[in-house]
Amino acid sequence: MRHIAFVSAILLGTTTLPTHALDFGGGLSLEGWVEWERTFSDYPFNIGYGEVDLVYRPAAGGLGGFVGFDGFYTSGYDRTAPYAALSYSFGAHTLQLGAPRAALDDYVRTIVMGGNRELYLDRGDKAASQLQGLYLFRDIDPPLGVRYDGDFGQLKLGASAHKGEGFELVNLGVNYEIGQFVLRGGAEQMEADWRDGSFVFYGAEARLEKLRAGVMISRFNAYDSTNTQIYAVYSPIERLDLSVAADRTEFSGFKRENYGIAVEYTLENGVFMDAGAFFPEDADELCNLSLGLKF
C-alpha cells in the first residue's frame, strides 16, 4: 500500500500504495484510506487505522497545502497524529513548511507483510521513517519541519527535516527509473533524548503487466541490525492483488525470519477487503481480516 502524503501529482504516480482520491474540484481533494482489521490468534484483537489528507493542489502550481491525520484505535487505547503544511509548487518541484509528513516514506516503503497492519506499525525494522512511530504513539505536539520533493525525469527525490519533543530527524529518499525497474534508496539521521541513530535503505522493484516484485534492505546502526525483505504482488484481474513476502532480520548474531501471504480486492468505489496470514519463525501464525475504504 501507498503512504498518503502531499506531493506533486507526478510523484504520486510513482508510488506503491493507494492513489485513489475524492476530487472536489478546483484543486481540492481528499486522499487516503481507513481500515478495520481483526487479527486471529490465541488472543484475538481488533484495530482501526487510517491515514487521511485534505489537499489543496492548484493545477497551475503556486500556493497550496494540506491538513491530515494518522489515527490508530484498539480496545482501551487510541491515538491521533495531525499533520498540516503550506506548500509552494513550481514546475515539478514542491516545498512544504509546517508539520509535513516524512519524505522518506514516499520512496522506500514496501508492502505490508501478510496484510497485517498492526504488526507493520509495531515493527521497528520496517522500511520507513521513524517519524510516524515517534509521533503517533507518543503524546506530543506536531513535529515542525520542512520538506522538498522534485522530479528530474528518471530521477525523483524528496527530503525533509523534522523537530519534535525530544527528537530531531532528517531524511532523504530517491527513486530512479530504468525501463520497467525502479531503484530505491534512502537515509535518515535521528537525534533523540534516548538515543541517536542512522538508517540506510536500498532496493529495487520490477514492474511487469500483472506482476511487481522487489527487494528492500534496511540497515539500522542504532540496533546494529539489518532487515532484508523480498516480495511479489500478482494481479490476475483488475483490482485483485495476491501478495507473498519474506524477510530476515539479523542483529548481534541473531537471525529471525518471517513470511506472509495476503489477498486484497478493491471495488470500484474504493471499498477493499483483505485477508492474510503472517508466519513468524518459532511462533504461531497470525491470520487477519480487514475491511476498509480508499479515497
Side-chain angles (χ1 to χ4, degrees):
M1 289 187 174
R2 181 68 202 108
H3 181 74
I4 304 301
F6 179 76
V7 293
S8 69
I10 295 174
L11 290 175
L12 282 170
T14 70
T15 60
T16 59
L17 292 181
T19 57
H20 296 76
L22 182 59
D23 189 355
F24 299 113
L28 187 66
S29 63
L30 189 67
E31 303 175 356
W33 53 277
V34 292
E35 177 183 25
W36 170 88
E37 177 181 273
R38 179 165 180 84
T39 296
F40 300 90
S41 65
D42 291 339
Y43 304 95
F45 56 90
N46 303 322
I47 72 164
Y49 185 75
E51 301 177 6
V52 179
D53 289 342
L54 179 63
V55 180
Y56 175 58
R57 183 185 298 114
L63 189 63
F66 87 104
V67 293
F69 71 92
D70 290 352
F72 177 88
Y73 171 82
T74 190
S75 179
Y77 180 85
D78 63 89
R79 283 286 186 268
T80 301
Y83 295 86
L86 292 174
S87 68
Y88 187 80
S89 298
F90 49 102
H93 310 274
T94 301
L95 290 173
Q96 295 184 60
L97 182 63
R101 296 182 181 274
L104 181 67
D105 287 344
D106 291 299
Y107 298 86
V108 304
R109 186 176 292 192
T110 60
I111 69 172
V112 177
M113 180 175 291
N116 196 307
R117 176 64 52 179
E118 193 278 336
L119 289 175
Y120 177 85
L121 291 169
D122 187 58
R123 292 184 60 174
D125 58 1
K126 61 182 181 291
S129 170
Q130 297 292 299
L131 179 66
Q132 184 182 52
L134 288 172
Y135 182 23
L136 180 60
F137 297 109
R138 299 173 66 224
D139 186 17
I140 63 174
D141 293 331
L144 300 180
V146 60
R147 172 172 171 168
Y148 164 78
D149 292 278
D151 185 340
F152 300 90
Q154 291 176 278
L155 176 68
K156 298 168 179 61
L157 63 86
S160 62
H162 311 263
K163 180 176 176 60
E165 295 178 37
F167 71 91
E168 297 180 7
L169 60 86
V170 295
N171 58 60
L172 169 70
V174 178
N175 287 177
Y176 188 76
E177 299 181 13
I178 307 175
Q180 295 176 308
F181 294 88
V182 179
L183 304 181
R184 302 183 183 279
E188 183 166 77
Q189 177 66 39
M190 180 181 72
E191 296 182 3
D193 291 345
W194 54 94
R195 72 168 185 272
D196 298 338
S198 61
F199 310 83
V200 178
F201 312 89
Y202 51 96
E205 183 176 277
R207 298 173 177 176
L208 306 177
E209 182 178 357
K210 294 184 177 182
L211 174 70
R212 61 183 178 91
V215 58
M216 177 60 67
I217 299 171
S218 309
R219 172 70 182 170
F220 305 86
N221 82 326
Y223 309 111
D224 189 26
S225 69
T226 300
N227 177 267
T228 302
Q229 182 186 93
I230 57 175
Y231 62 91
V233 181
Y234 177 63
S235 305
I237 61 174
E238 187 177 4
R239 299 191 301 277
L240 176 64
D241 293 335
L242 310 176
S243 67
V244 58
D247 73 11
R248 170 184 287 188
T249 299
E250 303 178 49
F251 60 95
S252 301
F254 175 80
K255 296 181 180 180
R256 182 188 67 209
E257 294 181 350
N258 302 294
Y259 305 89
I261 57 174
V263 55
E264 179 178 297
Y265 184 71
T266 305
L267 303 176
E268 290 186 1
N269 60 5
V271 173
F272 68 91
M273 294 153 284
D274 182 282
F278 182 84
F279 304 94
E281 186 178 12
D282 300 327
D284 293 336
E285 68 274 7
L286 300 173
C287 297
N288 58 278
L289 293 173
S290 300
L291 178 66
L293 175 66
K294 305 172 187 177
F295 44 81

